[in-house]
Amino acid sequence: MSAPRVAEPSAAWAAADPYASALRAGRGPLFLRRADGWLLPLEVERWCARADAVDRDVLERCEGTVLDVGCGPGRLVAELAGRGRAVLGIDVSEAAVEHTLRLGGRALHRSVFEPLPGEGRWDTVLLMDGNIGIGGDPRALLDRVAGLLRPGGLLIAETAPVDVDERVRVHITDAHATVSAPFTWARLGTRALLRYARGWERAGQWTSGGRRFAALRSPGSRSAGSSAEPPKRTAVISSQRARNTSAGRPVADS
């Protein structure tokens, strides 16, 4: 399966100085801002912290080798690496990749739409913190992820906490009104994600800590277990050798 050529989100995120500054400081405030003043808060402090209980529950559901798309500052990559799991993060933000490496994780400065290691062989792909919105075209992103996974591989996506299906043109902005280049982003609730996932097998959906998740299996032969329930024992496997947005509610500009 050939990868769609979507360069715009990568270039915009890479030029997002407010995002890089927030990651290096480990704190916000930081927002996605639409032209009409709509703001979506980004959870920088949570992303820069260690994996929390909700994150760890998601990671228990991961199978085999894991690719974290839009890994941000690397909390999930570091947590899995600390467990001896084979995991790679990718992000278009150099600051995010640097942070991930400092935590002891492995990460590449790469867009999901660029060539990646292990294409067609990953067991699990993560799209956390609203990263199902990358590129503003959920169907194209799902097609790309299907090409990264082995047949029957697992996608775990964090969806918006509300039933929404929208594509918006946004900037990243901080409290000082410093803005990034504009780019297209999507916000999807679970119901909308399932509509786009034609040919994928549903493997579960759940809510934890006010956050919502859906698991899907890529088109192809099914794996031994069809659900994304946490295993009773997590296998330890050898290590392998890169922006997030919150799935929270938007708030009105004041």
Side-chain angles (χ1 to χ4, degrees):
M1 179 183 299
S2 61
R5 302 302 301 168
V6 182
E8 179 207 43
S10 176
W13 275 113
D17 290 340
Y19 179 75
S21 297
L23 289 194
R24 291 182 176 121
R27 62 181 183 275
L30 201 66
F31 308 90
L32 289 185
R33 181 187 181 109
R34 202 164 60 191
D36 62 3
W38 174 96
L39 291 175
L40 180 68
L42 305 182
E43 299 182 69
V44 177
E45 289 83 359
R46 179 171 66 80
W47 300 342
C48 289
R50 294 288 180 169
D52 60 21
V54 176
D55 296 328
R56 292 193 297 272
D57 175 68
V58 170
L59 299 183
E60 288 293 330
R61 301 168 189 261
C62 292
E63 300 169 354
T65 56
V66 181
L67 179 67
D68 186 3
V69 173
C71 66
R75 72 188 192 281
L76 305 178
V77 175
E79 177 68 21
L80 284 170
R83 301 180 185 191
R85 299 291 298 274
V87 56
L88 176 69
I90 61 167
D91 206 289
V92 295
S93 163
E94 289 188 41
V97 171
E98 290 167 2
H99 198 286
T100 302
L101 297 174
R102 286 197 299 272
L103 291 180
R106 293 174 182 252
L108 294 177
H109 181 216
R110 201 78 58 87
S111 164
V112 67
F113 294 108
E114 295 173 342
L116 294 171
E119 296 205 12
R121 300 194 301 274
W122 292 98
D123 296 305
T124 303
V125 168
L126 294 175
L127 287 170
M128 296 283 281
D129 304 318
N131 279 331
I132 189 64
I134 288 173
D137 186 340
R139 190 161 286 132
L141 181 58
L142 286 169
D143 287 346
R144 175 58 176 146
V145 170
L148 295 172
L149 286 165
R150 62 169 175 80
L154 185 67
L155 166 63
I156 300 179
E158 182 169 356
T159 57
V162 292
D163 188 17
V164 62
D165 180 1
E166 63 183 12
R167 271 142 301 284
V168 289
R169 190 83 169 162
V170 294
H171 301 264
I172 302 169
T173 186
D174 59 19
H176 306 292
T178 307
V179 298
S180 74
F183 58 97
T184 306
W185 197 258
R187 292 182 69 239
L188 297 182
T190 300
R191 196 177 309 179
L193 171 61
L194 296 177
R195 285 197 300 269
Y196 287 111
R198 292 192 299 230
W200 291 71
E201 178 187 344
R202 300 183 187 188
Q205 53 186 285
W206 66 97
T207 300
S208 180
R211 296 161 62 189
R212 294 186 181 179
F213 304 91
L216 299 166
R217 292 203 177 276
S218 64
S221 59
R222 294 178 61 176
S223 65
S226 62
S227 71
E229 290 300 316
K232 293 182 179 178
R233 295 180 60 189
T234 301
V236 177
I237 56 182
S238 61
S239 293
Q240 288 183 359
R241 206 3 242 160
R243 210 146 321 290
N244 297 348
T245 64
S246 163
R249 297 173 181 270
V251 296
D253 190 17
S254 57

